[in-house]
Amino acid sequence: MRAPALLCALPAVLATACTAPLREEINWNRVDLARERTAIEAFQAHDQKLQDVGWKLVRGNAGICARTIPAVGLQLQDMASYGSPAIARRALGLARDFAVQTAAAESPAGQSGAFRPNREIAALSGTDPNQWEAGARFDWERLARAHDHVDAVLADRGALTVAFADGGEAALAPVPVCATRFELMGEGRRAVADGNRVVIGIRFPAFAYPEDMFAGVVAHELAHNLLGHSDWLDHHGRRQGNVRRAEREADRLMPWLLANAGYDPEAALRFMQEWGPRHSGGILRERSHDGWDERAEFIAAELPAIQALLEESGKADWSVHFRREIAPLPAASSEQGASAGG
Ligand SMILES: [Zn+2]
């Protein structure tokens, strides 16, 4: 589930490291560093696409979602999370463990121009995460800790200063976004949401779709978080009918989230029409879900209201105008009208 820990599916060292016995000896003659770097860069390219789209969604809906945090759109990487930190470090030409992974397009980090991929990091607002202890490999916890640190600094001080190993420095001022992190998983075709994160497998087919259609599936997962589905299902039980209602809500909210992010809300419908017939046996079509054609109809039914709101006010305020099908838990979602039964 944790993104960086699951790089096993990547080719090269990251793959072999998954099955190789634990030992420190590396035969460098047998390591193709160019291939390692290419594998890491392929992972980063997918992550960039995910972070770009995720940023637009959480930024564009920030004025509507119940819980926002200050953010800068910066994603780090930690060599300790790779299957072989020493090889990853050498492949990227790093002396330390922390470096830039992605800076989301249109985010403060992206706009600064300072956060090119793999630029080595020496400190985050005075704290050097390279000094923190880490496991021998596949340690994703230290990276999560660094992201927690960034969030805490932004919340406490309203700014983040990044010192690079090359002597450069960049200061970032945050903007509010809906509180969800996006993580790329190094293997698998799944997309899941756990309340705080959206996690998407690198082999998820929609990565190959046009950006606005890919954004549809990210929006579906984000919708689960924004609507408090994880907590609600924990509380009420994951019976088939409950899951189906949550899934239907997530589908129906997709075009609203897309619209506020500047995407064509109809891309949600195009996603379902493209995805549904090909993957109806997959994760999005279980007995707990409506059929893909029904799901497309539910999405299409939202579009006129969204269009009217966009013309009227320039945004699609789902916190006021979206019809809930479940009664949200008080803590999970604020003041949203609920109509039980759906
Ligand atoms: Zn779902």
Side-chain angles (χ1 to χ4, degrees), residues 1-22:
M1 175 99 28
R2 304 292 181 163
L6 290 171
L7 288 171
C8 302
L10 289 176
V13 64
L14 309 165
T16 56
C18 284
T19 47
L22 251 183

Side-chain angles (χ1 to χ4, degrees), residues 172-226:
L172 297 173
V175 293
V177 301
C178 302
T180 277
R181 279 183 196 172
F182 300 91
E183 294 182 10
L184 179 67
M185 201 160 46
E187 62 179 10
R189 310 166 62 85
R190 300 197 56 186
V192 295
D194 72 356
N196 299 309
R197 302 179 304 148
V198 165
V199 184
I200 298 192
I202 195 165
R203 297 197 304 120
F204 196 88
F207 270 110
Y209 293 0
E211 180 180 323
D212 57 357
M213 286 163 63
F214 172 66
V217 76
V218 181
H220 173 102
E221 298 304 330
L222 176 61
H224 282 310
N225 288 351
L226 299 181

